[in-house]
Amino acid sequence: MTTAPPAGQAAPPRVPPALFVTSPTSAPAPEAPPLPPVRRTPLAVSGLLAVALTAYVWSAHGARPGVLLLLGLGLGVALFHSRFGFTSAWRQLVAVGNGTGLRAHALLLGTTATLFALVIGTGTGLFGSQPAPSGGAIGVGLIVGSLLFAVGMQLGGACASGTLFAVGSGQTSVLLTLGGFIAGATLAAWQFDLWKDLPAWEPVVLSDHIGWAGSWAVTIAALLLVVLVTRRVQARRNPPPVGAVPSARTAAVRAVRGSWPLAAGALALSVLGAGVLLVSGGAWGVTSAFGLWGSELVGALGGHPENWSWWRQAGNAEMLAGPVLADKTSLTDLGIMIGAAVAAALGGTWALHRGIPWRTAVASVLGGVLMGVGARLAGGCNIGAYLAGVSSGSLSGWLWGAVALIGTWAGLKLRPLFGLGNPKPGDGVC
């Protein structure tokens, strides 16, 4: 039973649950700068490329690859508009205690886990696909690989998905990271015999033990715990706010040209990622294509990657023998870069960065190599191992994320050696 307040006395304001109260920062969030004009030439080039590539893939390889390319284009648009990052989120949390980015991860993971449970739990697939969870083996390769990957992304300045949308938006230094990424993935494939027998246990996927409803419930509970812990850390450390990016003043223009809230980006990415699962039967991934591209280049230069043990594995041989533009991961990766280019040109921020300091260039290449090797050892990156693993209820995804936090700390210690800065408590923004 509720009691009305006495006449003439206002009711006390309702206090929202602690989970939804804005976490404190040492200063108010800065105003977003206004948008620059549309970059017409990059927009025309990237738009024509998107249309031409989609038409070619659809006509040459069919509807399924064509839809995957369209999903990749959507992923690129969503990643750029929301500036959805994994590298910066971990860096801000470890360096100054700002958990804004990691809470966005939790929303992405929770929404994706919900959609995965619905899709995989009901066996729903398109184009004859059979959706399956992503469960990685738990062992030395996972631990060492995720550690190397996390160090690499702090040096290279981007994660796997971040590398793609940054390259699409014209960030030249990250192009060096992508080159190192491809080289590292190719090196790991070439030397597969050196690391294929590292000690490991079979994957642990919760749905195999407690069903998809139980797996979903445990995953959501764990993610809520992550949110509460990051809020507690942020309240104690009172970090600087996250910097603002150019945006528009009206919602309609922001949807097309401006920046999106991280929550909007998380929801869009989860829906598009579930679309990849529906169409292909497997979760969205990024890094397997890098090894394929590098190996194709080795073959074009006279090498014989088809003789490598990696490409004689079940499934890998078909990938190498088939056309690149029919490969699921290559299609979504190319789509992300082109989609990000379209979005950046519309937003007026597409630009080639020149005059990269040599230490930054070295860090970019080295970081890319570490990520390429690490992703292969760990069985995936921040998307294929972390996002897909956690969303599938796999213990490997949680372990990947935990080790990545340790690797982030190590990467932050190395960044100053290459002239790269870290967030500090006294900064205006982080």
Side-chain angles (χ1 to χ4, degrees):
M1 177 175 178
T2 59
T3 304
Q9 179 178 338
R14 295 185 63 184
V15 178
L19 189 63
F20 300 103
V21 176
T22 303
S23 296
T25 52
S26 59
E31 287 283 333
L35 283 171
V38 174
R39 297 294 308 279
R40 298 183 183 278
T41 300
L43 177 60
V45 172
S46 58
L48 287 172
L49 183 58
V51 171
L53 188 60
T54 301
Y56 172 78
V57 169
W58 207 289
S59 62
H61 303 296
R64 182 176 178 177
V67 172
L68 285 169
L69 178 59
L70 290 176
L71 288 168
L73 291 167
L75 287 165
V77 170
L79 283 165
F80 176 81
H81 276 305
S82 60
R83 308 309 200 270
F84 202 96
F86 292 81
T87 305
S88 59
W90 278 312
R91 180 163 62 238
Q92 290 159 4
L93 178 69
V94 173
V96 293
N98 192 320
T100 302
L102 201 60
R103 289 190 291 276
H105 291 188
L107 178 60
L108 170 62
L109 291 162
T111 309
T112 305
T114 302
L115 295 174
F116 273 31
L118 292 172
V119 172
I120 304 175
T122 60
T124 304
L126 301 177
F127 301 102
S129 64
Q130 296 294 323
S134 296
I138 300 171
V140 174
L142 175 64
I143 295 172
V144 174
S146 54
L147 185 70
L148 290 176
F149 190 96
V151 173
M153 67 181 178
Q154 294 305 328
L155 296 180
C159 58
S161 54
T163 296
L164 293 174
F165 90 75
V167 167
S169 61
Q171 297 187 35
T172 314
S173 63
V174 183
L175 184 61
L176 297 174
T177 303
L178 178 59
F181 217 144
I182 293 170
T186 307
L187 174 64
W190 175 42
Q191 295 298 321
F192 178 56
D193 290 332
L194 292 179
W195 56 271
K196 66 178 181 179
D197 294 323
L198 291 173
W201 291 269
E202 291 297 315
V204 177
V205 180
L206 290 177
S207 61
D208 293 339
H209 305 279
I210 56 176
W212 276 104
S215 173
W216 175 83
V218 170
T219 300
I220 296 301
L223 291 170
L224 287 173
L225 180 61
V226 169
V227 170
L228 292 172
V229 169
T230 62
R231 292 180 63 83
R232 181 67 61 87
V233 170
Q234 185 161 336
R236 187 176 73 248
R237 298 184 65 179
N238 197 32
V242 177
V245 296
S247 192
R249 301 304 177 197
T250 63
V253 179
R254 279 200 302 273
V256 178
R257 296 195 60 217
S259 61
W260 298 354
L262 280 174
L267 294 175
L269 291 172
S270 63
V271 171
L272 291 164
V276 173
L277 176 67
L278 275 169
V279 171
S280 69
W284 171 31
V286 173
T287 56
S288 65
F290 296 161
L292 173 62
W293 299 350
S295 298
E296 291 282 5
L297 178 59
V298 170
L301 295 175
H304 296 281
E306 69 277 5
N307 295 329
W308 302 351
S309 297
W310 173 260
W311 292 116
R312 294 202 299 267
Q313 299 295 301
N316 291 352
E318 292 81 0
M319 185 190 304
L320 183 66
V324 170
L325 291 180
D327 172 58
K328 162 199 164 183
T329 310
S330 295
L331 288 167
T332 51
D333 284 2
L334 291 170
I336 288 170
M337 288 189 283
I338 298 171
V342 171
L346 274 172
T349 61
W350 193 96
L352 290 175
H353 296 253
R354 300 178 176 86
I356 304 169
W358 71 267
R359 287 197 295 173
T360 301
V362 171
S364 298
V365 174
L366 176 60
V369 171
L370 290 175
M371 285 193 287
V373 173
R376 291 282 57 81
L377 291 176
C381 60
N382 58 295
I383 301 298
Y386 173 57
L387 172 58
V390 171
S391 301
S392 297
S394 174
L395 182 59
S396 63
W398 288 102
L399 185 57
W400 195 102
V403 176
L405 281 174
I406 300 172
T408 296
W409 177 85
L412 294 181
K413 298 297 182 183
L414 294 174
R415 281 172 60 87
L417 299 178
F418 298 92
L420 303 172
N422 293 321
K424 296 179 176 59
D427 290 341
V429 294
C430 63

